[in-house]
Amino acid sequence: MELIVTEKDNAARRIAEILSGDSASTDRQNGVNVYRWGGTRCVGLSGHVVGVDFPPEYTDWRDVQPVELVDADVVKTPTKENIVRTLKQLAADASTVTIATDYDREGELIGKEAYELVREETDAPIDRVRFSSITENEVREAFSNPDELDFDLAAAGEARQVIDLLWGAALTRFLSLSAKQLGEDFISVGRVQSPTLKLIVDREREIQAFDPEDYWELFAELQKDDVGFEAQYFYEDEDGNEAERVWNEADATEAFEQLRGARDAIVESVRRRSRTDEPPNPFNTTQYISAAGSLGMSAQKAMSVAEELYTAGYITYPRTDNTVYPDDLDPEELLSAFTQHYLFGEDAESLLTAEAIEPTAGDEETTDHPPIHPTGEIPSKEDLSEDEWEIFELVVRHFFATVAEPAEWEHLKVVADANGCLLKANGKRLVEPGYHEVYPYRSTAENHLPDVAEGELLGIDDARIEAKQTQPPRRRGQSRLIEELESRGLGTKSTRHHTIEKLYDRGYIEGDPPRPTKLAMAVVEAAEKFADRIVDEEMTAQLEADMKAIADGEKGYEAVTDESREILEAIFQELHDSREEIGEHLRTSMKADRTLGPCPECGESLLIRRSRRGSYFVGCDGFPDCRYTLPLPNNGEPTVIDETCEEHGLKQVKMLAGRSTYVHGCPQCKADEADEAEDEIIGACPECGDEHGGELAIKTLRNGSRLVGCTRYPECEYSLPLPRRGEIEVTDESCDEHGLPHLLVTDGEDDDDPWELGCPICNYAEYRERQTATEIEDLDGVGAKTAEKLAAAGIESLDDLRNADVASVAAEVQGISEDRLREWQAQANAGAVAE
């Protein structure tokens, strides 16, 4: 029996379809899909099914000093036991084994892990196949020319695993124990994560230290034949360059008075020039992430979607540094694959009419994977989620752009003299659209100026002066940050987006572009003061270079990991005498991140706290002497924002709840409003009205929520939710079924389109029906089409998803992988916790 091992289940299914000619059947073994045809079996792993960790005796954080981890052994243990068991059972009966994991450092390591598991069961020959896209031609070609595992490349991946474990675990434990932050709120440190965080913190420091300078700019409107166009005042600076900013207010005022006194302006010069706008270079990973970011997609999301499209066979491997198409790529043949498509056909046909098709090329040429491009296999739009189709179209159109003609712009610069003041106006016009015709992701905005000639007299109007200030440097967006990491040699194309996502997950950064929290500032400050090598990018970049040397066979795995242990031991020597000081520094900063302001009863600080049950509330730092508390909403995670309540001096709170994120405001105001509000009776309680006389009333709770609830609470807990915002008006119209008045929700006195809530009981029943139908679509990356596919597989609600067997669903639903389903399960479970 021949055994084929792939990196993931959807890759296994795809390869089985190709090699079997769509005749493969699916068996379930230990809950794992096994694809079979003839004498061949194909099984997909789930990425790493074996993980590195310390032996069990190092597990207890309190009993093991963090420094002891530096020299601790590292062991491998199964992380997906059912997959490991299935692989070994299949290997025991195999006469040949083929490793078909992804072709990169990580994929090679996963292949080596499979190799070692197989070797425990058999000494059968083991081959390795490599491909850059899971298409019929490339897969068949790869299996016709098998190779051997690259153990040096795998060793580089393994060295990264071990070094990251040592650094992450040892330093994370040290800082967390020092700050007394254990459990879910531990303080995370990482070999690449910490220098990346320092980059973000350093930029924030630049912004905070920035001292703005005042300057002034002057403008006027020039006119020809009733056509007006804006021109800007300029002068020659000391270096003979054109300058628009006037740095002295007196000079600016003088120039403005002079400009305002002009009756007309005479054209001094008219200059035209053409500019060639070159098409983009082929996509490498970093540039792809940047382009996806312009569509509003996070780096992590962009890579996740690209991997789905790759394993489905629609695009090439998305982790690549290459910006030069390989010689065996035939652009005409690939374009021809799109000529019959309703969306891409016209553009593909147009590109094929060129006399010669010469793709662009970047500076980086590697031999592992080509730049990211479509494979020529085209899905229907219905087979993909909205995000997947958006990225597929981006990749297709980017390929189109790389084989398109350059665009040509005509630029026009007009300089005029108005009462001794020089004014300039710049126009541009797209003369030849070139690649812009097939690539709508770059601006083609034009600025038209009327046709004027030197010596011509123009009208002048609307002279104005604008006072401005210089602006601080901008925060780097995710894609710009990844470009910066690449330029500094931090991380790899496969890990950079994960690093940024981890910083979000650990609460070190927030927003987009990311900005550091006070905890992040504190961690970086502590590292800089007591052990700066933790955040030293040069040392981290050197380790990256060492791992590349392992892959190239120039250094050994043991030498690099031993060197890393030595560096880590030296860091602990620096940290040893500063543990208490570091802990105090971190605790102070972490408290500042959660501080709202003074307690009205004792003057201590009010902090966001978490109860043993996991819910959030505002409590006094003087506890247990002061037990003053305020409630917070029960949906979402609270974060303190800069806006401060004028009445109570407390910072406001925002509730992070995905798409439902909202500003809660001042907790004291919300509590006071609820205390002052009177319940408004609207009818009998349907559960206890007949027997106990319970009535339904509109209630405002101290945590800001509103509801219709029974007046006999807590004896009767019957309640119905109401919108958090807007004025609720009780109308004269009543429900025939429940006898309750209809409700309206208005935004204010002038709201011409109020929300007709109707009967609160009927409304809630309708809401539950809608919620069941749409809650799946609220998950990140699930559109209507994907929701339909999931519904066909029996997943119609979040509860269905939480309880689903992802392997079974992935096998049934085409185009949705186990990894993607696990992501959605995690989102659904997070929502359940928030609720």
Side-chain angles (χ1 to χ4, degrees), residues 163 205 213 217 257 348 380 422-423 438 473 530 554 609:
I163 291 171
R205 288 167 172 166
E213 292 184 68
E217 290 182 335
E257 291 300 327
S380 67
L422 291 176
L423 298 169
V438 298
F530 302 107
E554 298 169 359
R609 295 185 178 278

Side-chain angles (χ1 to χ4, degrees), residues 580-732:
E580 289 301 320
E581 190 175 351
I582 293 171
E584 180 60 31
H585 178 74
L586 292 174
R587 285 193 295 274
T588 300
S589 297
M590 292 171 68
K591 183 180 291 186
D593 244 359
R594 299 181 290 112
T595 300
L596 277 70
C599 172
E601 290 197 354
C602 73
E604 292 281 347
S605 295
L606 289 181
L607 308 174
I608 291 179
R609 295 185 178 278
R610 199 169 188 176
S611 72
R612 294 178 181 176
R613 295 176 297 173
S615 59
Y616 293 97
F617 66 98
V618 174
C620 183
D621 197 31
F623 179 85
D625 295 329
C626 178
R627 296 177 177 270
Y628 189 81
T629 62
L630 292 168
L632 288 173
N634 55 12
N635 57 326
E637 181 179 344
T639 184
V640 178
I641 59 178
D642 290 336
E643 285 78 7
T644 301
C645 172
E646 295 182 2
E647 182 178 354
H648 302 106
L650 299 180
K651 288 190 174 181
Q652 298 189 24
V653 175
K654 177 189 284 188
M655 300 302 298
L656 304 178
R659 299 180 187 180
S660 302
T661 292
Y662 61 95
V663 174
H664 173 62
C666 169
Q668 186 68 63
C669 286
K670 295 296 182 183
D672 291 348
E673 289 170 8
D675 292 341
E676 295 168 4
E678 293 185 6
D679 294 350
E680 185 172 359
I681 306 297
I682 61 172
C685 174
E687 287 202 354
C688 71
D690 292 341
E691 186 175 354
H692 300 287
E695 294 180 297
L696 291 184
I698 297 175
K699 297 173 175 282
T700 300
L701 306 185
R702 301 186 87 235
N703 68 357
S705 299
R706 296 187 299 192
L707 53 80
V708 171
C710 184
T711 54
R712 294 185 59 252
Y713 179 85
E715 286 81 7
C716 176
E717 296 185 348
Y718 184 84
S719 67
L720 302 164
L722 288 174
R724 181 175 291 272
R725 295 184 180 86
E727 295 293 326
I728 296 176
E729 177 185 338
V730 180
T731 71
D732 294 332

Side-chain angles (χ1 to χ4, degrees), residues 391-454:
I391 291 300
F392 177 71
E393 183 171 359
L394 171 67
V395 172
V396 170
R397 293 200 171 279
H398 193 89
F399 167 71
F400 283 5
T402 63
V403 297
E405 294 294 324
E408 293 290 336
W409 292 86
E410 183 182 83
H411 290 257
L412 175 64
K413 180 179 180 181
V414 175
V415 175
D417 184 304
N419 196 23
C421 293
L422 291 176
L423 298 169
K424 64 179 178 180
N426 293 297
K428 64 176 183 176
R429 183 168 62 91
L430 187 60
V431 180
E432 292 291 341
Y435 75 92
H436 289 291
E437 285 193 314
V438 298
Y439 194 66
Y441 305 101
R442 293 187 179 177
S443 173
T444 55
E446 298 179 318
N447 181 31
H448 291 278
L449 297 182
D451 190 17
V452 299
E454 290 185 13

Side-chain angles (χ1 to χ4, degrees), residues 326-635:
D327 293 337
D328 60 359
L329 175 68
D330 185 340
E332 293 186 28
E333 182 181 347
L334 187 49
L335 282 171
S336 297
F338 291 91
T339 55
Q340 301 303 312
H341 193 270
Y342 76 97
L343 184 62
F344 304 118
E346 186 175 337
D347 290 333
E349 290 278 10
S350 175
L351 292 168
L352 285 168
T353 62
E355 291 184 8
I357 297 177
E358 294 291 339
T360 59
D363 297 329
E364 189 73 27
E365 185 171 11
T366 61
T367 57
D368 51 358
H369 291 289
I372 305 167
H373 64 78
T375 63
E377 297 196 16
I378 310 173
S380 67
K381 198 169 183 178
E382 291 72 24
D383 287 338
L384 301 182
S385 71
E386 292 175 11
D387 288 338
E388 288 167 343
W389 181 262
E390 189 171 32
I391 291 300
F392 177 71
E393 183 171 359
L394 171 67
V395 172
V396 170
R397 293 200 171 279
H398 193 89
F399 167 71
F400 283 5
T402 63
V403 297
E405 294 294 324
E408 293 290 336
W409 292 86
E410 183 182 83
H411 290 257
L412 175 64
K413 180 179 180 181
V414 175
V415 175
D417 184 304
N419 196 23
C421 293
L422 291 176
L423 298 169
K424 64 179 178 180
N426 293 297
K428 64 176 183 176
R429 183 168 62 91
L430 187 60
V431 180
E432 292 291 341
Y435 75 92
H436 289 291
E437 285 193 314
V438 298
Y439 194 66
Y441 305 101
R442 293 187 179 177
S443 173
T444 55
E446 298 179 318
N447 181 31
H448 291 278
L449 297 182
D451 190 17
V452 299
E454 290 185 13
E456 187 171 353
L457 205 61
L458 302 176
I460 185 168
D461 191 15
D462 192 29
R464 70 184 192 279
I465 185 170
E466 295 182 3
K468 297 183 178 182
Q469 285 188 323
T470 54
Q471 297 299 307
R474 301 168 76 179
R475 296 186 180 99
R476 300 181 183 95
Q478 290 189 36
S479 57
R480 180 69 186 88
L481 183 57
I482 285 175
E483 291 175 9
E484 190 70 24
L485 295 176
E486 182 181 42
S487 69
R488 295 170 184 254
L490 295 174
T492 69
K493 57 184 178 289
S494 302
T495 61
R496 293 179 187 115
H497 60 286
H498 287 302
T499 298
I500 294 173
E501 194 69 17
K502 188 175 291 185
L503 293 177
Y504 276 112
D505 290 343
R506 293 310 310 158
Y508 285 141
I509 57 178
E510 58 189 12
D512 192 17
R515 63 180 182 274
T517 60
K518 291 183 177 65
L519 172 60
M521 305 288 281
V523 169
V524 171
E525 287 166 4
E528 288 173 329
K529 184 175 181 180
F530 302 107
D532 61 357
R533 280 186 286 186
I534 293 175
V535 291
D536 182 5
E537 66 179 64
E538 291 185 8
M539 185 204 64
T540 300
Q542 181 56 49
L543 284 172
E544 295 289 352
D546 286 343
M547 284 182 272
K548 184 178 186 302
I550 296 174
D552 295 339
E554 298 169 359
K555 280 192 174 184
Y557 162 85
E558 294 290 346
V560 172
T561 53
D562 287 349
E563 181 183 356
S564 186
R565 288 179 190 265
E566 291 171 6
I567 295 172
L568 191 55
E569 187 168 9
I571 287 174
F572 268 101
Q573 290 176 358
E574 297 173 10
L575 292 172
H576 182 267
D577 295 331
S578 307
R579 183 166 183 164
E580 289 301 320
E581 190 175 351
I582 293 171
E584 180 60 31
H585 178 74
L586 292 174
R587 285 193 295 274
T588 300
S589 297
M590 292 171 68
K591 183 180 291 186
D593 244 359
R594 299 181 290 112
T595 300
L596 277 70
C599 172
E601 290 197 354
C602 73
E604 292 281 347
S605 295
L606 289 181
L607 308 174
I608 291 179
R609 295 185 178 278
R610 199 169 188 176
S611 72
R612 294 178 181 176
R613 295 176 297 173
S615 59
Y616 293 97
F617 66 98
V618 174
C620 183
D621 197 31
F623 179 85
D625 295 329
C626 178
R627 296 177 177 270
Y628 189 81
T629 62
L630 292 168
L632 288 173
N634 55 12
N635 57 326

Side-chain angles (χ1 to χ4, degrees), residues 784-825:
K785 297 296 182 183
T786 304
E788 288 177 11
K789 290 184 186 179
L790 292 171
I795 298 179
E796 299 179 343
S797 68
L798 293 184
D799 283 339
D800 293 339
L801 179 61
R802 293 180 187 113
N803 299 319
D805 180 350
V806 294
S808 299
V809 176
E812 183 176 347
V813 182
Q814 184 177 4
I816 300 179
S817 68
E818 289 187 36
D819 286 348
R820 178 61 66 87
L821 285 163
R822 289 191 183 94
E823 287 179 16
W824 291 335
Q825 278 188 333

